[in-house]
Amino acid sequence: MSITLRQLEVFVAVSEEGSLTRAGEVLGLPQSSISKQLKELEDLLGLKLFDRHTRMLRLTEGGMEILPLAKKTLADLDAMLDGSAQLKTLERGRVSIAASSMQAALVLPRMVKAFSEMHPGIRIELLDVTQDDVIQMVSGGAVDFGVGSAFGDHGDLSMKTLWSEPFFAVVQQDHALARKKSVTWKELQKFPLIGSRKGNPVRTALEFSLASEGISLKYVHEVALPLTTIGMVAGGLGVGILTGSTRRLSESLGLLFKPIFQPKLERKVVLVLHSARSLSPAAKKFSDALVSWTSLKKSRFNEEDNVHRFCNVCYQFGCSLTHQH
């Protein structure tokens, strides 16, 4: 037999009231039950906890040493129950998110702000990492979930598509492609290209799609972050292959975005979850809100088949782009 919480409650109540009868009234128990619980506790501890003094009970030396421990145990339990209630009601908690650099910079900040205003007791930890790191961090349990691009089967991970982004060629204003309204993938084979490193999920998906069309791209520079691609294009090192999430930053440096066709390809931005782990109430609430927000904040496209595409540039900054391709 092990010590029960009821026995500790009885012990503390008797020590505070100095009477079995009054302790029973406080706990809503008959005196016989109080006596039984107290006797069982003394037997388990091998200690006499009270001495009788006329009609009052006084703690023994052993009882005085046990009392603070019993109170602390009950207080810790109350704190645990209160904490679990706060976590459940989203009064406090923590959400950790691994996001690819562009999503961390251009989509999630506004969502984090809105969520934090609704739930000020929840701490949001946003980690800006490479596409590869998003997958690794979710798989390893370093974060609750991730936002990025994925390609192929990752076994223990599940992917939920949030939105899609088209690919663009990013060029300087004096480039040979600058006056063209759009370009084809085959045209890009003639120019020095700058893109993601081999093995990057976005590049892997792109190469897979282009291979089915008999197209293979050769890169003169391979980088980990889209920002580096933008900087290299601005520095005159080649034509950048990027998606729509980088448009605002690219144009702020005077670069031009040219839609790429034949074929028209897009990358999917996904919510990355670990299939074997359940989310905390706070993380579940945020991930649900992310799915809801990205489905509601749709940009207005002129093309009928693009009505439901999410534009993170519009959402994060509010832009005047017409999105005509």
Side-chain angles (χ1 to χ4, degrees):
M1 180 182 284
S2 57
I3 294 173
T4 66
L5 291 171
R6 174 59 79 186
Q7 290 167 350
L8 294 180
E9 288 176 336
V10 166
F11 170 54
V12 172
V14 172
S15 67
E16 291 177 343
E17 300 298 328
S19 164
L20 298 180
T21 301
R22 287 199 295 274
E25 292 172 353
V26 169
L27 296 176
L29 296 173
Q31 182 175 331
S32 59
S33 178
I34 295 292
S35 297
K36 181 175 180 295
Q37 297 282 349
L38 195 57
K39 178 66 168 59
E40 288 177 352
L41 179 60
E42 288 180 324
D43 290 343
L44 286 168
L45 294 173
L47 291 173
K48 186 177 181 181
L49 299 175
F50 292 96
D51 284 327
R52 288 190 176 275
H53 181 73
T54 61
R55 295 184 179 181
M56 299 291 291
L57 294 176
R58 290 185 178 177
L59 285 166
T60 63
E61 183 177 348
M64 285 188 287
E65 291 188 9
I66 296 296
L67 182 60
L69 299 176
K71 286 184 174 180
K72 184 178 186 304
T73 299
L74 294 174
D76 288 345
L77 176 63
D78 287 340
M80 182 186 71
L81 294 174
D82 181 59
S84 65
Q86 288 184 339
L87 291 173
K88 185 176 180 180
T89 58
L90 304 181
E91 292 180 20
R92 68 181 180 89
R94 175 180 169 273
V95 181
S96 56
I97 309 163
S100 57
S101 58
M102 289 296 101
Q103 310 313 324
L106 302 177
V107 179
L108 293 174
R110 187 176 249 186
M111 296 178 181
V112 169
K113 180 176 184 293
F115 189 88
S116 297
E117 288 175 348
M118 290 188 288
H119 307 288
I122 296 177
R123 180 190 173 197
I124 308 294
E125 184 179 13
L126 180 57
L127 304 173
D128 57 329
V129 296
T130 64
Q131 296 281 351
D132 296 333
D133 287 338
V134 171
I135 300 298
Q136 293 174 9
M137 294 180 76
V138 177
S139 181
V143 294
D144 292 311
F145 58 87
V147 177
S149 296
F151 180 75
D153 182 14
H154 294 277
D156 55 350
L157 302 181
S158 62
M159 314 287 174
K160 182 178 180 62
T161 300
L162 295 173
W163 67 85
S164 297
E165 295 179 351
F167 284 93
F168 293 86
V170 186
V171 299
Q172 290 183 316
Q173 293 189 17
D174 59 354
H175 193 272
L177 298 174
R179 293 188 177 184
K180 294 181 68 67
K181 185 177 180 181
S182 62
V183 298
T184 68
W185 290 104
K186 286 188 176 180
E187 283 182 283
L188 292 177
Q189 291 179 306
K190 306 172 186 177
F191 299 94
L193 302 179
I194 306 168
S196 303
R197 290 176 180 170
K198 197 168 186 62
N200 175 281
V202 177
R203 176 169 167 178
T204 301
L206 179 60
E207 289 180 339
F208 182 82
S209 298
L210 291 177
S212 65
E213 301 288 332
I215 300 172
S216 177
L217 300 179
K218 294 184 179 180
Y219 297 87
V220 294
H221 295 287
E222 300 178 352
V223 302
L225 300 175
L227 181 60
T228 307
T229 299
I230 295 171
M232 286 185 168
V233 174
L237 296 183
V239 177
I241 306 297
L242 292 167
T243 59
S245 62
T246 63
R247 185 165 189 167
R248 183 71 173 242
L249 292 177
S250 299
E251 292 183 338
S252 70
L253 294 177
L255 302 178
L256 302 177
F257 253 53
K258 303 297 176 179
I260 311 173
F261 292 99
Q262 297 180 20
K264 180 180 179 181
L265 301 175
E266 296 181 338
R267 72 96 172 239
K268 291 182 178 179
V269 178
V270 297
L271 179 68
V272 186
L273 300 165
H274 198 292
S275 304
R277 291 196 298 267
S278 59
L279 294 175
S280 67
K284 179 68 166 58
K285 187 72 174 179
F286 189 95
S287 63
D288 288 347
L290 177 59
V291 172
S292 176
W293 285 330
T294 54
S295 66
L296 289 174
K297 299 292 184 180
K298 305 296 185 182
S299 58
R300 296 179 179 177
F301 283 77
N302 292 332
E303 295 180 21
E304 185 175 349
D305 63 342
N306 283 330
V307 170
H308 298 296
R309 185 183 292 123
F310 174 82
C311 173
N312 53 7
V313 178
C314 285
Y315 179 62
Q316 180 68 2
F317 297 103
C319 67
S320 59
L321 302 176
T322 63
H323 301 281
Q324 292 177 329
H325 300 332

